[in-house]
Amino acid sequence: MTTIVRDKKYRDKQKRKDNFISVFIGFFAIVWIFPILWTIWTSLRPYNDIISYGVFSWPRHLNLDNYFNAFRQMGLTRYFLNTLYVTVPAVLLTLFLGSLIAFVVSRYSFKFNLSLLLLFTAGNMLPIVLTYIPVFWLYIKIGDLFGNRSLLYNNYLGIVLVHVAFQVGFATFVLSSYMKTVPKEISESAIVDGASVFRHYWNVMLPLLRPPLAALGVLMSCWIYNDFFWALILMSQDSKRPVTSALRQLQGEYVTDFNLLAAGAVIVAAPTVILFFVLRKQFVSGLTLGSTKG
Amino acid sequence: MSDTEKGISRRSVLKGAAVGGIGLAAGGSLLAGCAKSKVTGDINFTIRGNLSDAGSKIAIAVNDAYTAKSGNKVISQAVNSDDFQNNFVQIMQGTPDDAFGWMAGWRTNARADAGLLADLSDQVAALGSSLSAAAVQGATNPTDGKQYIIPTTYYPWGLHYRKSTMTELGLNPESIATWDDLIKLCEATQKKGLVGYALGDKGGWEAMGTFDILNMRLNGYQFHIDLLNGKEQWTDPKVVEVFNYMGQLIPFMNKNVLDISWDGMRDLLLQKKCGAMMMGSWFANDFLAKSQEDYDDLWIVPFPEINPEHGVDSIDAPLDGIAVAANGKNVEGGKELAEFWGSKEGIDAAVAAGDTNIYISSEFDSSSYDAFNNQKLAVLGAAKNIGFFLDRDTRGDFAGPVVGPAIQSFLKNPKDLTKILDNTQAQWDALPAL
């Protein structure tokens, strides 16, 4: 009898707690989703409505004109292609190099193993804006050395390399954490069977790395897709810049039509959102990857 | 491009024409008579703006006209204006386009001193008397007396208001002549429950327009320019006086001055919520976009006289033009293209493409202007001295980071004036030499 009463009391208490948490989470969900909803709302209203009646006025017109105009003005095909030229090689190269370093760091013991890993992680912590001027001059000087200024500067190669350089640290960190969870015995039997170092990496370890590679690939694609900074400063030609800079095409010297810009932002953000929903599983596993052992 | 054509250089002919006093009419016909230029190769051109806006279409039309005349292909690209300005030094040191739309004033002169811009003195000389002395003066780098920009267009900063509001209040809708008139206007609009003097200074630069004009009205153009170049002190009682006048306007301002940008000011006027505002007149198309009546209602006058000694002899009229990169692939081509932009043919091509900007050249034909645009010309014509706006008349690392916040803190807390001015002067003194 007493146990039942206590259970009921306990259940009620849990219920109250759950309700409280739901309200709490709900509140923050609204706070987070508000800017997105507001962007979509803004994108549906014509510019003239806003300047005539104010941002918070009751809408006189709602339509998709901003989307059509944004599509027309941004030249999206070209910019999406540019993004592809940068993102695909950068992600593949990052994953390849990252897995190579992770493999060495986690499977072989060198004196500098830990410091090497630290170096890569520390590089990740460096705010990229600090490296802007040095990277710029590095690219110019290397270009001059080979008699072609556009070797790295104002060239896809340069953008790809700078992304690889900045992402490889994180990839190494995550992949080496994951590799440490793979039983040593697998490696040992591979070595006993006479596998060379590269075969050990390519035929034994790499297939096992498929889940973290998929998760990392998705994360990095999003990050590189969203990059605006490097493309802006290392590409002097606008026609070579990625899709994020297409948005800048919607802003004038003085007048910016924020309704049009909102529509453009929704268009540009759409691929990453779709990517997220299609590959949700990889995303979530990516967030917790390697967190159990490190 | 055969060698025989090099016998007479087009430029030397032009110079001869200018020196000989034959004038540009003759120069123009010589230009037209010369089928091919001696410069060859593609020219790259940067447009500050987006490809779909009117400005880009006009720029491309001018470049096409140049191609038709010279046979040199011009490859135009449009870039975001802010991005181009902010990364200008890097872009110029990398692989810059040969020519680009740019701004006269500090932004040209300092970059020219750093060796990033090509000397265009020959081109300015070739354009000769079509450019007014004031325009050439404005485009001249004080350090070496050379020109690094071909001045093309400008626009006035003036007092904007609606004529209908003035008529309703029983004031003269075509002029606000004195400070008392302005105060009367502000009081009357405020009594009606509106904002008297609209101001938005969220960006930190909008109120510079008010500061500039008050300083030029009270202390004259020369003092203003000297102050901005460190030859006068910010702690001077004359500067205090400028802020006192600005302080008189604060009670008439909207309460959210620091929360709205220039477009917020525009909206106040567009929605008939304010009396007057001090602004550059680039926003008139937004009135036209709303309705023809709104556009016809819009008016601009010079900021009223305060000190009779200086009258209304000065104005802020930012001067734009074409500059050429010193590190470009085709510097000579860029120079020739820049000169074409300033010539009669270039201006005609721009106007034919629908340009409503005011060209500084005397070759510019304004006969198709409407009432508002003619009034803009009148406002510009009333002034003898032309300032370029604070952020082009002084160092870039002083205008935005120091003066902008200083005016903002004054608007927030006018009582702190002494401290603010001391601080501003201290920050000027602490700037490294260029």
Side-chain angles (χ1 to χ4, degrees):
Chain A
M1 183 63 190
T2 50
T3 49
I4 293 170
V5 170
R6 210 184 323 142
D7 275 1
K8 195 173 179 307
K9 247 188 186 164
Y10 178 70
R11 231 185 16 245
D12 286 352
K13 205 177 141 202
Q14 279 306 95
K15 220 174 186 174
R16 271 203 305 278
K17 220 189 212 170
D18 283 356
N19 284 341
F20 175 74
I21 290 173
S22 296
V23 169
F24 190 73
I25 292 175
F27 172 74
F28 278 96
I30 289 171
V31 169
W32 276 82
I33 203 130
F34 176 77
I36 297 164
L37 291 181
W38 187 256
T39 309
I40 294 172
W41 169 242
T42 308
S43 70
L44 296 173
R45 304 187 61 188
Y47 179 60
N48 226 336
D49 251 24
I50 301 283
I51 58 171
S52 312
Y53 309 108
V55 179
F56 297 103
S57 60
W58 188 252
R60 265 67 168 183
H61 307 89
L62 285 179
N63 54 39
L64 292 173
D65 285 0
N66 285 324
Y67 286 90
F68 293 125
N69 289 337
F71 253 108
R72 241 198 330 270
Q73 285 189 24
M74 287 200 288
L76 280 169
T77 339
R78 191 185 61 208
Y79 288 112
F80 269 126
L81 273 179
N82 292 347
T83 295
L84 217 61
Y85 296 152
V86 172
T87 312
V88 172
V91 170
L92 291 180
L93 209 57
T94 310
L95 293 181
F96 178 62
L97 293 176
S99 61
L100 276 177
I101 304 161
F103 170 69
V104 171
V105 172
S106 62
R107 291 289 131 165
Y108 295 89
S109 62
F110 289 118
K111 233 186 196 161
F112 305 111
N113 254 355
L114 193 64
S115 40
L116 201 63
L117 195 59
L118 265 176
L119 190 72
F120 274 105
T121 320
N124 222 32
M125 306 286 166
L126 205 65
I128 56 169
V129 282
L130 278 185
T131 59
Y132 155 30
I133 300 284
V135 168
F136 169 78
W137 279 115
L138 187 74
Y139 276 22
I140 295 283
K141 296 284 178 209
I142 290 178
D144 284 347
L145 214 61
F146 289 95
N148 175 14
R149 267 200 172 187
S150 304
L151 187 71
L152 294 172
Y153 178 75
N154 194 22
N155 197 330
Y156 294 117
L157 179 65
I159 307 273
V160 168
L161 285 182
V162 85
H163 279 305
V164 170
F166 275 95
Q167 300 297 350
V168 90
F170 181 71
T172 307
F173 178 71
V174 170
L175 290 174
S176 72
S177 307
Y178 187 86
M179 261 190 229
K180 281 177 191 161
T181 65
V182 176
K184 275 255 187 309
E185 288 75 13
I186 295 178
S187 295
E188 282 164 9
S189 50
I191 294 167
V192 168
D193 283 349
S196 67
V197 174
F198 190 72
R199 180 168 280 275
H200 179 192
Y201 162 76
W202 191 256
N203 293 64
V204 180
M205 288 313 290
L206 215 50
L208 292 173
L209 284 181
R210 228 176 261 158
L213 284 178
L216 264 180
V218 171
L219 274 180
M220 302 218 147
S221 304
C222 280
W223 289 343
I224 297 175
Y225 178 92
N226 279 334
D227 168 71
F228 173 63
F229 180 74
W230 288 118
L232 176 64
I233 56 173
L234 295 179
M235 278 286 187
S236 64
Q237 243 173 303
D238 192 71
S239 58
K240 286 188 185 171
R241 288 184 187 151
V243 72
T244 36
S245 71
L247 280 181
R248 298 296 268 171
Q249 282 287 339
L250 300 178
Q251 284 166 275
E253 183 180 358
Y254 298 112
V255 186
T256 297
D257 177 350
F258 284 100
N259 304 73
L260 185 68
L261 193 61
V266 172
I267 293 171
V268 170
T272 36
V273 174
I274 293 168
L275 194 74
F276 174 78
F277 280 109
V278 172
L279 301 169
R280 205 164 30 182
K281 238 160 114 193
Q282 268 77 14
F283 248 108
V284 175
S285 68
L287 294 177
T288 54
L289 212 62
S291 58
T292 46
K293 200 166 180 190
Chain B
M1 289 317 103
S2 63
D3 281 349
T4 48
E5 284 183 27
K6 285 188 178 169
I8 306 168
S9 136
R10 187 180 53 83
R11 198 154 285 142
S12 64
V13 169
L14 264 184
K15 257 195 235 163
V19 171
I22 304 167
L24 217 96
S29 63
L30 277 173
L31 264 169
C34 186
K36 295 262 177 191
S37 62
K38 61 173 186 166
V39 175
T40 53
D42 293 353
I43 301 161
N44 287 290
F45 187 87
T46 301
I47 303 164
R48 289 185 302 125
N50 45 35
L51 267 183
S52 51
D53 73 13
S56 301
K57 290 186 185 113
I58 289 157
I60 288 169
V62 176
N63 290 341
D64 284 348
Y66 171 77
T67 304
K69 183 186 153 226
S70 67
N72 296 330
K73 200 172 150 204
V74 181
I75 303 153
S76 308
Q77 69 156 338
V79 299
N80 181 277
S81 179
D82 288 345
D83 295 344
F84 186 72
Q85 273 174 51
N86 295 340
N87 295 311
F88 187 72
V89 175
Q90 270 69 42
I91 291 171
M92 286 300 121
Q93 291 176 103
T95 52
D97 284 350
D98 303 304
F100 45 87
W102 196 231
M103 302 162 266
W106 189 86
R107 283 176 221 239
T108 293
N109 300 337
R111 303 311 169 214
D113 290 342
L116 298 176
L117 298 178
D119 176 13
L120 296 174
S121 303
D122 290 348
Q123 283 68 30
V124 169
L127 289 170
S129 59
S130 71
L131 298 177
S132 67
V136 174
Q137 182 58 36
T140 302
N141 181 3
T143 341
D144 58 9
K146 292 177 181 166
Q147 291 90 32
Y148 293 88
I149 187 166
I150 302 283
T152 53
T153 60
Y154 62 164
Y155 61 85
W157 272 72
L159 206 60
H160 290 84
Y161 57 87
R162 279 172 173 273
K163 285 189 273 187
S164 60
T165 314
M166 300 289 280
T167 320
E168 269 172 49
L169 296 170
L171 299 165
N172 178 359
E174 302 261 311
S175 105
I176 300 175
T178 64
W179 179 257
D180 291 341
D181 285 353
L182 179 61
I183 296 293
K184 215 188 287 170
L185 162 69
C186 288
E187 277 170 349
T189 36
Q190 205 172 42
K191 220 171 273 169
K192 251 183 79 184
L194 305 179
V195 173
Y197 186 87
L199 187 64
D201 196 30
K202 190 182 174 192
W205 56 269
E206 296 93 334
M208 289 173 185
T210 301
F211 171 81
D212 279 0
I213 201 69
L214 285 174
N215 196 15
M216 290 193 282
R217 288 287 178 268
L218 279 160
N219 303 319
Y221 173 79
Q222 199 51 48
F223 178 85
H224 179 62
I225 292 299
D226 287 348
L227 175 70
L228 294 181
N229 289 287
K231 290 175 195 151
E232 297 282 352
Q233 298 281 314
W234 284 81
T235 44
D236 193 304
K238 285 176 161 180
V239 181
V240 176
E241 186 66 7
V242 171
F243 279 95
N244 286 340
Y245 269 86
M246 199 191 276
Q248 290 184 45
L249 291 173
I250 292 179
F252 301 115
M253 288 176 193
N254 37 310
K255 296 288 167 255
N256 55 351
V257 170
L258 296 180
D259 299 329
I260 59 173
S261 307
W262 75 266
D263 42 0
M265 284 154 80
R266 172 203 60 194
D267 292 351
L268 285 174
L269 192 63
L270 196 56
Q271 296 159 18
K272 299 192 177 176
K273 288 181 183 162
C274 74
M277 64 175 185
M278 184 70 195
M279 211 119 84
S281 60
W282 64 75
F283 63 93
N285 282 340
D286 292 331
F287 275 63
L288 196 56
K290 196 181 171 209
S291 78
Q292 185 67 40
E293 283 102 55
D294 284 291
Y295 181 71
D296 292 341
D297 200 18
L298 179 66
W299 203 242
I300 177 176
V301 292
F303 196 87
E305 173 185 319
I306 302 176
N307 180 350
E309 190 192 330
H310 301 294
V312 290
D313 68 351
S314 311
I315 193 169
D316 260 343
L319 181 61
D320 289 336
I322 309 293
V324 175
N327 292 331
K329 282 204 187 87
N330 189 354
V331 178
E332 287 309 313
K335 285 181 176 180
E336 194 177 273
L337 178 60
E339 184 182 328
F340 181 79
W341 270 78
S343 73
K344 180 168 167 37
E345 287 164 293
I347 296 168
D348 286 350
V351 173
D355 199 352
T356 56
N357 277 311
I358 300 174
Y359 277 82
I360 206 153
S361 168
S362 60
E363 301 287 341
F364 171 59
D365 172 17
S366 63
S367 55
S368 61
Y369 264 21
D370 58 29
F372 182 72
N373 278 332
N374 274 323
Q375 179 64 8
K376 285 201 294 196
L377 277 180
V379 169
L380 281 167
K384 199 169 82 223
N385 305 307
I386 295 180
F388 292 152
F389 199 69
L390 198 143
D391 68 353
R392 301 186 188 190
D393 282 327
T394 187
R395 292 174 61 155
D397 50 1
F398 184 63
V402 182
V403 183
I407 299 177
Q408 281 176 333
S409 12
F410 174 75
L411 291 168
K412 208 163 27 180
N413 224 337
K415 286 199 192 87
D416 290 347
L417 181 59
T418 324
K419 209 171 73 195
I420 292 167
L421 291 180
D422 285 350
N423 190 15
T424 306
Q425 185 59 41
Q427 294 204 58
W428 172 272
D429 295 337
L431 284 174
L434 281 174

